[in-house]
Amino acid sequence: MEPTLPLFDEEPARPLADRLRPTRLEDVVGQDHLLAADAPLGRMIAQHRLCSAILWGPPGVGKTTIARLLADAAGLAFAPVSATFSGVAELRKVFAAARSRRSVGQGTLLFVDEIHRFNRAQQDSFLPYVEDGTVTLIGATTENPSFELNGALLSRTQVLVLKRLDESALSTLLDRAEHLTGHPLPLDDDARRALIAMADGDGRYLLNMAEQLPASGPVLDTAALAGHVQQRAPLYDKAQEGHYNLISALHKAMRGSDPDAALYWLARMLDGGEDPLFIARRLTRFANEDIGMADPHAVQQALAAWDVYERLGSPEGELAIAQAVVYLATAPKSIAVYRGFTRAGESARRTGSLMPPAHILNAPTRLMKDLGYGKDYAYDPDATDGFSGADYFPEAMERETYYTPTRNGYESQISERLRHWTALRARRRSG
């Protein structure tokens, strides 16, 4: 079905994105996973049972439009507020109005834009009105609700994830813009694709860029397009979810030995404005945690990149970080030390304050010598094979194994050495 659009643009003074705002749910693009007949919102509308929900997604994907159209489809009064400008006093007025409507049989859809900006106490103020049905709450947020909304509110709402608009959805928006304005965009095919790519999934930004293009004149190629519009800044907030998502992606790409994907996520983080020193710290942690003794030089490479960046700064020092990323991604991996240290920590907490065996204690005083400190200590460099096989665990504790090296990288040599020492220890104890 074709979208409902006027035959010609009746209000050219309004922003193009606002003029193209859908008037029917079926005209919303890119969110079929929520709005199709067998999708969550589609089923709610069909059953005339709209539940409170949180619409979570990036900017420019239709959160406000969907909320408004849900109110229309459900026959509810639409009461919008913005968490940026509203407080508890204004919310009380909204709730009072909703209660009055309810007394005459009219329901209310309370739409809260940027709901994550309300503090915990303000979020709590919604609870009784959502619970008793005075309002159907539809909140919109670009931030992860798990982090930004309290558990009581989340338990009373359904979180619905909106997707960034794909190329097909964005192309549809450009088609509608051309239909509305009555003239084609002055772009060749490559420039049109470039414009869509520059929007980075944001429909509103795409239409704002399209509005900046000349209505007449020569057709623009990709180079000429760059003179008229600016690419959308990438979505990245160093204090929010995007920050943790991208560092997780970098970490897992390196762990998966994929240097190309790792370089991509590194570039995404740096392009988004991430502090390179934060990345350098995470690389150092990765070298210890995910590579360990499989390549003992890995941590030196990470520290060297950190040092180079501190000396050179951006952009020159970023190449050192990129080099470290490639080194770590292509290094053999082992978490044997990490796991061994974890097991040792569990044993240390379990065994309390057991003393070291007397033979490995220093005896700087006569009393300590009389108590047996240092007695029969075996000096390993003087032993055959440089290995005495002595027991270094507390006397009241059985020997335990924490570090089990892999066969990866340098740990294969360590594994052989440990097997050799284990055999020597067994022979000398039996002898």
Side-chain angles (χ1 to χ4, degrees):
M1 183 182 295
E2 289 297 319
T4 302
L5 294 172
L7 294 177
F8 58 91
D9 194 358
E10 298 174 330
E11 298 182 79
R14 288 168 53 209
L16 180 59
D18 191 51
R19 285 177 278 155
L20 277 175
R21 192 181 294 275
T23 57
R24 304 178 306 177
L25 281 169
E26 52 264 39
D27 294 339
V28 175
V29 299
Q31 309 302 338
D32 288 347
H33 65 293
L34 297 179
L35 297 172
D38 59 347
L41 290 176
R43 289 195 299 270
M44 289 184 199
I45 294 300
Q47 297 168 6
H48 305 287
R49 293 177 54 191
L50 183 61
C51 301
S52 293
I54 304 298
L55 304 181
W56 172 29
V61 297
K63 295 186 291 294
T64 302
T65 295
I66 289 174
R68 189 181 298 275
L69 295 179
L70 286 174
D72 292 343
L76 303 176
F78 185 69
V81 298
S82 171
T84 305
F85 302 110
S86 304
V88 172
E90 183 172 344
L91 288 175
R92 288 198 185 103
K93 295 178 183 177
V94 172
F95 295 140
R99 192 178 295 113
S100 297
R101 291 190 201 97
R102 189 182 187 191
S103 67
V104 295
Q106 172 71 63
T108 300
L109 186 150
L110 172 59
F111 173 65
V112 184
D113 195 18
E114 299 190 87
I115 192 171
H116 61 275
R117 295 188 182 276
F118 275 137
N119 61 35
R120 302 287 171 167
Q122 290 170 318
Q123 291 178 29
D124 285 342
S125 70
F126 295 113
L127 301 180
Y129 303 100
V130 171
E131 201 157 59
D132 69 8
T134 299
V135 298
T136 298
L137 173 66
I138 301 293
T141 180
T142 56
E143 306 299 337
N144 190 327
S146 301
F147 301 146
E148 303 298 334
L149 302 183
N150 65 36
L153 185 58
L154 287 175
S155 73
R156 292 164 173 81
T157 58
Q158 183 174 353
V159 176
L160 302 174
V161 181
L162 280 74
K163 299 177 181 178
R164 69 190 295 276
L165 300 187
D166 60 18
E167 183 176 349
S168 175
L170 293 172
S171 182
T172 297
L173 292 182
L174 291 184
D175 291 341
R176 292 180 184 178
E178 291 174 323
H179 176 78
L180 179 67
T181 59
H183 60 77
L185 294 173
L187 303 171
D188 65 22
D189 290 343
D190 289 340
R192 189 184 182 94
R193 284 191 290 269
L195 185 72
I196 289 173
M198 292 166 76
D200 194 23
D202 186 330
R204 181 170 48 244
Y205 193 81
L206 174 72
L207 295 174
N208 289 343
M209 288 193 294
E211 201 166 22
Q212 297 174 39
L213 299 175
S216 60
V219 173
L220 305 177
D221 59 14
T222 303
L225 174 65
H228 289 272
V229 296
Q230 293 291 319
Q231 180 167 352
R232 179 183 182 277
L235 279 178
Y236 191 77
D237 188 333
K238 291 185 287 183
Q240 301 296 335
E241 191 198 18
H243 163 82
Y244 298 105
N245 284 347
L246 266 61
I247 192 61
S248 176
L250 172 61
H251 194 123
K252 289 179 173 63
M254 292 190 298
R255 179 183 290 158
S257 301
D258 190 336
D260 298 310
L263 284 174
Y264 170 78
W265 293 117
L266 171 66
R268 279 279 301 274
M269 295 182 75
L270 293 174
D271 190 47
E274 183 57 78
D275 181 3
L277 291 176
F278 166 77
I279 300 174
R281 289 192 293 272
R282 290 299 294 254
L283 296 184
T284 304
R285 172 190 168 185
F286 178 90
N288 281 301
E289 183 177 314
D290 284 81
I291 297 174
M293 292 302 293
D295 183 353
H297 297 296
V299 69
Q300 298 171 13
Q301 290 289 324
L303 288 171
W306 190 341
D307 185 50
V308 169
Y309 182 81
E310 286 191 321
R311 291 170 184 269
L312 297 182
S314 292
E316 294 88 350
E318 294 173 7
L319 183 59
I321 294 177
Q323 179 175 314
V325 163
V326 170
Y327 188 99
L328 300 181
T330 56
K333 308 298 190 298
S334 170
I335 60 170
V337 173
Y338 176 82
R339 285 178 171 165
F341 185 52
T342 300
R343 294 187 193 108
E346 293 169 354
S347 289
R349 289 185 290 274
R350 186 181 68 250
T351 55
S353 304
L354 295 179
M355 283 285 291
H359 73 93
I360 64 172
L361 297 178
N362 291 329
T365 68
R366 183 179 183 84
L367 174 62
M368 296 170 80
K369 289 180 181 177
D370 292 343
L371 292 173
Y373 284 26
K375 183 180 179 181
D376 299 326
Y377 171 62
Y379 186 61
D380 284 76
D382 289 340
T384 305
D385 299 313
F387 180 77
S388 68
D391 188 356
Y392 298 99
F393 277 90
E395 292 177 359
M397 179 179 172
E398 293 292 327
R399 179 175 185 82
E400 297 182 354
T401 299
Y402 308 126
Y403 176 56
T404 305
T406 68
R407 302 292 296 175
N408 302 334
Y410 181 66
E411 276 196 328
S412 63
Q413 299 179 43
I414 297 175
S415 182
E416 292 296 331
R417 196 176 304 142
L418 288 178
R419 272 197 288 271
H420 173 64
W421 286 336
T422 298
L424 285 179
R425 184 182 292 114
R427 285 201 300 271
R428 288 176 185 175
R429 286 187 176 179
S430 62

